[in-house]
Amino acid sequence: MEFEAVIGLEVHAQLSTRSKIFCACSTAFGAPPNGNTCPVCTGMPGVLPVLNRKAVEFTIRTALATSCAVQRRSVFARKNYFYPDLPKAYQISQYELPVALGGHVDIEVDGGTKRIGITRIHMEEDAGKLVHEGEFAEAQASLADLNRCSVPLMEIVSEPDMRTPEEGGAYLRRLHDILVYLGVCDGNMEEGSFRCDANVSIRPVGQEAFGTRAELKNMNSFRNVEKALEYEIRRQVERIEDGEKVVQETRLWDANAGVTVSMRRKEEAHDYRYFPDPDLLPLIVDDSWIEELRATIPEMPAEKIARLGAQYGIPPYDAGILASSRALADFFEASAGIYGGNPKTTANECIHWKDAVLAGTLSPETIAHAVEDRERGTISATASKKLVELVLSTGKPFRALRDEQGLTQLSDTSALDLLVDKILAASPKEVDGYRAGKVGLLSFFVGQVMKESRGKANPKMVQEVLKRKLG
Ligand code: ADP
Ligand code: MG
Ligand code: ZN
């Protein structure tokens, strides 16, 4: 029997506001333990939460960029559970009435576009972190760091529209790029700013009804999500083929072992007893606020890819790499603006030097000059690469280095004419041989001219001059 996978993803993205969602504490990463806390986020009795306006704006902008319907009225709810990193014993989230519903994100797969539905986007606060210390004299200890308590999160839930791990990976990357483009999330997966839970089930090809799903947690890179999905799909198929059933459960991805392991079954799932938080008013969003926010939305990755292709004539693959980062795409456009030439060459260079571009150590002028000098035949491809490396190590301008290093090619026709005449005069036997039909001797002449010019002649032009004079 042939099976297909059904995948739905839940993404938790940290909103890049400076303060927390319900108090004025800083959200900065790396503060000393409990350095970013106050009575509100540590859940002291009698305190009151106050909603962060920026966090709402970031969520609405995300909703607009993913074509969701922004809800004019949404409600914060208490999700009750006890855990030592959650001093209030409830998390403030949104439940029945989230801030946004029903959107979509388009991904590129197999040379086409596929639309992945977004079920909902809601806002919530993060919980703290437990630090498990080594053994003390008698007992083992766990320490609570509440800096993350009340850090603003947005949860983006997809429809079960993906069918392969690659589609899951493509959706996550696209969503990640959208959030980073919007500037609402820094996208740092290692610091936990962009986290994903993956729901996956299998069903026989042709069957309409979904199978029982497992929810995978603990994946901190796109590649890990794809690998965890591949493993889990194989595991579920093997179970069914062995005549067993897939049970609904939460499983943890163990990246070192490359396997998913059961964490808790459905029967052990919490009943969170959600109810509207009486300390917070419903969130009311009016049309004028939405329109104000809509005006702040920049060009999104898919639009940028299409425009770069149309405007500069570069292939979708290259446009996709450039648009994977707003900074890289801006850099490309700045370079192509300084020197028009063939934008495909400029795109290649930007992609080749991507790390330096993103680190901010290269200027668009450097790439523009490198491309221009090469296209005009002033320098060779090898010299261009060497010069960019020198720009990076010395910080000097490209053309100053070019002249200082004497890396310009000889492209001046009259100078080349003289060189070629000299070589031809010195090799009469070979000249006769060439004219008698041994055209392979052309490379001999090119070699001689290159040697005579100490490598500075432009090889393409040397060939042209030779052919003209010999023919
Ligand atoms: P929960 O609150 O338990 O996480 P949700 O209804 O919010 O449940 O669904 C979570 C995610 O699971 C969604 O992204 C949804 O698309 C996905 N999902 C639901 N059913 C299935 C299924 N049978 N197979 C794969 N994914 C599924
Ligand atoms: Mg879930
Ligand atoms: Zn606080």
Side-chain angles (χ1 to χ4, degrees):
M1 201 187 279
E2 281 258 25
F3 292 95
E4 76 173 351
V6 171
I7 299 165
L9 301 174
E10 294 164 88
V11 166
H12 283 91
Q14 178 177 334
L15 297 165
S16 9
T17 56
R18 285 191 305 170
S19 57
K20 294 184 176 181
I21 186 169
F22 299 120
C23 64
C25 290
S26 165
T27 54
F29 186 81
N34 299 305
N36 292 344
T37 57
C38 74
V40 178
C41 55
T42 53
M44 295 296 140
V47 297
L48 286 172
V50 177
L51 182 58
N52 181 335
R53 185 181 178 93
K54 257 284 170 320
V56 178
E57 293 186 347
F58 283 4
T59 310
I60 293 176
R61 292 175 70 225
T62 306
L64 294 172
T66 52
S67 310
C68 286
V70 177
Q71 304 301 291
R72 299 309 192 260
R73 180 177 181 277
S74 66
V75 168
F76 287 92
R78 289 187 181 180
K79 179 179 180 179
N80 300 282
Y81 65 99
F82 172 79
Y83 205 69
D85 66 7
L86 187 76
K88 290 200 296 278
Y90 62 84
Q91 176 192 20
I92 304 177
S93 182
Q94 294 189 310
Y95 188 52
E96 283 163 336
L97 298 169
V99 70
L101 290 168
H104 57 80
V105 163
D106 291 338
I107 60 171
E108 275 94 47
V109 276
D110 299 331
T113 304
K114 179 167 177 176
R115 179 156 288 186
I116 307 299
I118 290 183
T119 316
R120 55 185 268 146
I121 302 179
H122 70 250
M123 301 172 68
E124 61 186 25
E125 58 180 348
D126 206 349
K129 179 174 88 173
L130 290 185
V131 185
H132 304 289
E133 291 280 285
E135 269 179 280
F136 285 115
E138 260 124 45
Q140 185 157 329
S142 290
L143 307 175
D145 177 2
L146 304 182
N147 282 348
R148 288 199 71 91
C149 272
S150 282
V151 161
L153 301 179
M154 141 177 94
E155 180 171 343
I156 303 167
V157 182
S158 89
E159 289 290 307
D161 286 347
M162 288 150 278
R163 295 293 171 265
T164 62
E166 296 74 52
E167 288 184 10
Y171 166 81
L172 279 183
R173 287 186 179 89
R174 177 50 56 82
L175 186 62
H176 178 270
D177 292 349
I178 290 173
L179 302 190
V180 175
Y181 264 56
L182 288 169
V184 301
C185 172
D186 68 19
N188 190 326
M189 292 180 89
E190 271 155 38
E191 288 176 8
S193 303
F194 186 91
R195 295 171 257 168
C196 165
D197 298 338
N199 297 270
V200 56
S201 60
I202 58 162
R203 65 180 173 187
V205 171
Q207 177 184 305
E208 184 100 25
F210 290 152
T212 305
R213 72 182 148 120
E215 181 170 355
L216 312 181
K217 290 189 180 287
N218 199 33
M219 300 157 296
N220 63 358
S221 74
F222 298 120
R223 198 59 205 114
N224 267 317
V225 175
E226 289 166 341
K227 284 202 264 187
L229 284 168
E230 278 159 24
Y231 174 87
E232 181 61 18
I233 292 165
R234 230 183 310 124
R235 188 190 71 86
Q236 292 186 10
V237 170
E238 279 166 19
R239 270 192 82 89
I240 303 284
E241 284 175 346
D242 288 348
E244 303 202 59
K245 281 200 164 130
V246 173
V247 291
Q248 191 174 337
E249 62 183 350
T250 303
R251 298 178 69 86
L252 279 187
W253 168 245
D254 179 339
N256 292 326
V259 299
T260 62
V261 289
S262 179
M263 185 173 118
R264 71 174 116 81
R265 291 285 176 89
K266 195 190 177 191
E267 309 85 74
E268 301 160 51
H270 297 107
D271 177 354
Y272 295 112
R273 305 257 164 175
Y274 282 96
F275 64 88
D277 191 311
D279 289 343
L280 285 157
L281 291 167
L283 171 60
I284 307 295
V285 178
D286 63 21
D287 291 351
S288 65
W289 196 16
I290 294 176
E291 291 320 311
E292 209 177 284
L293 292 170
R294 198 190 299 280
T296 68
I297 293 184
E299 184 179 46
M300 287 290 107
E303 295 160 8
K304 201 182 277 291
I305 292 170
R307 183 178 60 77
L308 291 178
Q311 189 174 336
Y312 298 96
I314 55 174
Y317 179 78
D318 298 59
I321 299 178
L322 293 173
S324 67
S325 147
R326 207 169 141 186
L328 186 62
D330 288 349
F331 185 96
F332 162 76
E333 293 203 78
S335 298
I338 296 167
Y339 175 68
N342 179 5
K344 167 74 181 148
T345 315
T346 306
N348 288 348
E349 288 294 311
C350 293
I351 293 167
H352 181 82
W353 299 103
K354 186 176 169 196
D355 292 345
V357 170
L358 295 180
T361 47
L362 264 189
S363 70
E365 283 78 24
T366 301
I367 295 303
H369 289 165
V371 173
E372 182 175 17
D373 283 0
R374 233 169 75 199
E375 283 192 358
R376 292 196 196 286
T378 319
I379 55 169
S380 67
T382 322
S384 163
K385 185 155 176 274
K386 186 174 169 201
L387 285 169
V388 175
E389 273 161 11
L390 280 170
V391 169
L392 288 172
S393 61
T394 65
K396 289 188 190 168
F398 186 85
R399 286 192 169 145
L401 284 163
R402 177 197 68 188
D403 298 341
E404 183 187 304
Q405 301 278 318
L407 284 172
T408 44
Q409 288 190 127
L410 204 50
S411 300
D412 169 357
T413 338
S414 54
L416 284 178
D417 271 8
L418 287 175
L419 267 175
V420 169
D421 286 343
K422 192 173 163 189
I423 295 301
L424 294 184
S427 335
K429 265 192 4 227
E430 285 79 4
V431 171
D432 289 344
Y434 180 90
R435 290 195 170 131
K438 288 192 194 165
V439 288
L441 280 166
L442 187 68
S443 52
F444 162 79
F445 292 119
V446 174
Q448 292 293 306
V449 177
M450 292 306 292
K451 202 165 135 196
E452 183 69 22
S453 74
R454 274 178 260 111
K456 283 193 189 171
N458 177 333
K460 222 173 103 204
M461 293 188 72
V462 169
Q463 279 211 17
E464 280 162 20
V465 175
L466 276 166
K467 278 187 189 159
R468 175 158 51 79
K469 292 200 178 268
L470 286 164

